[in-house]
Amino acid sequence: MFRTMLGGKIHRATVTEADLNYVGSITVDLDLLDAAGICANEKVAIVNNNNGERFETYTIPGERGSGVVCLNGAAARLVQKGDIVIIMSYVMLSEPEIQSYEPKVVLVDENNKIRDVITYEPPHTVL
């Protein structure tokens, strides 16, 4: 049996742009993608903390160190510049793999610079 588990997460990133006229996807600073273990063109789920929207798209690598988090295409209608989002990827793991697997949770500051990378989320904690 396989289970779908959190693979990588960029926690509380700030949307820097929303480009309705782009083909689609989310452009994310490559430093953030790498730290979270999220690949270019990988499917991700996005949660907008400001309005509760939840949606899926795929990633496009943005310039390293730029802090860019830009929603493109139709997804641009679901966010505004300055919104706080959580970007998550998922992996399929077998039961034995689950025992030793640790997701990568990237904590960022208000400029989308990496503060820390952790492998767990403490319960009842605001990160």
Side-chain angles (χ1 to χ4, degrees), residues 65-78:
S66 66
V68 66
V69 173
C70 178
L71 277 300
N72 302 305
R77 292 201 181 274
L78 303 176

Side-chain angles (χ1 to χ4, degrees), residues 8-10 13 26 28 38 44-47 69 85-89:
K9 175 176 169 179
I10 302 168
I26 182 171
V28 181
I38 300 173
V44 290
I46 301 168
V47 178
V69 173
V85 295
I86 299 171
I87 304 164
M88 299 165 285
S89 70

Side-chain angles (χ1 to χ4, degrees), residues 49-111:
N49 283 12
N50 292 77
N51 63 20
E53 290 284 353
R54 298 178 74 90
F55 52 96
E56 295 177 338
T57 190
Y58 63 93
T59 61
I60 291 179
E63 182 181 343
R64 283 192 185 280
S66 66
V68 66
V69 173
C70 178
L71 277 300
N72 302 305
R77 292 201 181 274
L78 303 176
V79 301
Q80 293 182 21
K81 183 177 178 179
D83 281 357
I84 301 299
V85 295
I86 299 171
I87 304 164
M88 299 165 285
S89 70
Y90 295 92
V91 294
M92 297 290 292
L93 299 174
S94 67
E95 293 289 334
E97 290 173 312
I98 291 170
Q99 303 309 313
S100 61
Y101 181 76
E102 294 182 328
K104 295 179 181 177
V105 179
V106 179
L107 308 178
V108 297
D109 66 15
E110 62 279 352
N111 297 309

Side-chain angles (χ1 to χ4, degrees), residues 7-62:
K9 175 176 169 179
I10 302 168
H11 188 72
R12 296 186 56 83
T14 302
V15 173
T16 58
E17 304 171 59
D19 186 356
L20 184 60
N21 295 312
Y22 193 84
V23 175
S25 68
I26 182 171
T27 304
V28 181
D29 180 329
L30 192 51
D31 286 343
L32 299 178
L33 292 178
D34 286 350
I38 300 173
C39 296
N41 300 306
E42 185 170 354
K43 179 180 177 180
V44 290
I46 301 168
V47 178
N48 185 331
N49 283 12
N50 292 77
N51 63 20
E53 290 284 353
R54 298 178 74 90
F55 52 96
E56 295 177 338
T57 190
Y58 63 93
T59 61
I60 291 179

